[in-house]
């Protein structure tokens, strides 16, 4: 992946540091391993789903940690027993760590493991104070102008 220099934007855009850091981190990680494979879905305007293919992992092998603006999924798998003689070993059986940057007000609603797929449902809940509100327009007498008394020195 081609690396972009965000320095000119950092100089003129105030308050976007987290976004620029995320873009730079993701650009560096793009060349790293893509295990386990995953899907990202938008289910509705404020609902999302992450599905990871974690065949061979049990619920106790997986840890999901959600903290402010970060979802981290770790899978810890013990190495395959060395006393077994595989003719072909094609099923990935290694530990992993996957990180997802979350937007403000996005929280994990549910996580389920079924048929080798880990499904994590996310919900964006914007607080009432942050939602747009319609202002009622009143009718009646116009507002009066308040004049300040001038004080002579």
């Amino acid at each position: 992946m081609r690396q972009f220099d965000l320095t000119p934007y950092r100089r003129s855009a105030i308050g976007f540091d987290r976004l620029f850091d995320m873009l730079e981190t993701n650009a560096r990680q793009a060349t790293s391993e893509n295990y386990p494979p995953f899907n990202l879905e938008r289910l509705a305007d404020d609902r999302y789903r992450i599905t990871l293919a974690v065949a061979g992992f049990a619920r106790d092998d997986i840890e999901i940690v959600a903290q402010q603006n970060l979802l981290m999924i770790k899978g810890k798998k013990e190495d395959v027993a060395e006393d077994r003689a595989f003719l072909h070993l094609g099923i990935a059986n290694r530990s992993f760590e996957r990180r997802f940057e979350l937007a403000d007000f996005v929280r994990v609603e549910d996580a389920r493991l079924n048929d080798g797929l880990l499904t994590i449902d996310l919900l964006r809940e914007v607080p009432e104070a942050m939602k747009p509100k319609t202002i009622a327009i009143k009718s009646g007498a116009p507002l009066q102008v308040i004049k300040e008394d001038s004080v002579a020195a």
Side-chain angles (χ1 to χ4, degrees), residues 36-41 49-53 100 117-120:
F38 65 93
N39 291 339
L40 294 175
E41 291 179 76
R49 177 172 289 156
I50 301 170
T51 306
L52 286 96
F100 295 93
L117 296 175
L118 175 64
T119 304
I120 301 170

Side-chain angles (χ1 to χ4, degrees), residues 49-142:
R49 177 172 289 156
I50 301 170
T51 306
L52 286 96
V54 292
F57 284 84
R59 280 187 305 161
D60 295 337
D61 297 334
I62 299 172
E63 178 185 19
I64 302 171
V65 178
Q67 55 191 26
Q68 184 178 0
N69 302 108
L70 179 66
L71 175 65
M72 188 168 34
I73 305 158
K74 293 181 184 179
K76 180 101 169 120
K77 195 72 169 160
E78 300 299 321
D79 291 333
V80 177
E82 295 183 18
D83 61 341
R84 297 171 72 182
F86 288 98
L87 298 176
H88 174 73
L89 185 62
I91 298 174
N93 195 32
R94 60 189 181 269
S95 298
F96 68 88
E97 182 177 307
R98 233 339 144 184
R99 294 172 178 255
F100 295 93
E101 294 283 337
L102 301 178
D104 292 335
F105 313 117
V106 173
R107 68 172 180 86
V108 175
E109 185 177 47
D110 190 32
R112 297 178 184 268
L113 180 62
N114 191 23
D115 296 333
L117 296 175
L118 175 64
T119 304
I120 301 170
D121 288 330
L122 304 167
L123 176 64
R124 182 173 48 135
E125 291 182 321
V126 179
E128 283 298 319
M130 302 292 288
K131 290 181 181 177
K133 40 188 158 179
T134 304
I135 308 300
I137 301 173
K138 299 175 186 168
S139 60

Side-chain angles (χ1 to χ4, degrees), residues 7-30:
T7 306
Y9 301 106
R10 283 185 181 274
R11 286 190 295 244
S12 61
I14 312 291
F16 291 94
D17 296 335
R18 193 173 139 254
L19 174 65
F20 293 140
D21 291 344
M22 182 184 69
L23 290 170
E24 289 170 347
T25 300
N26 286 341
R28 281 191 297 273
Q29 291 176 350

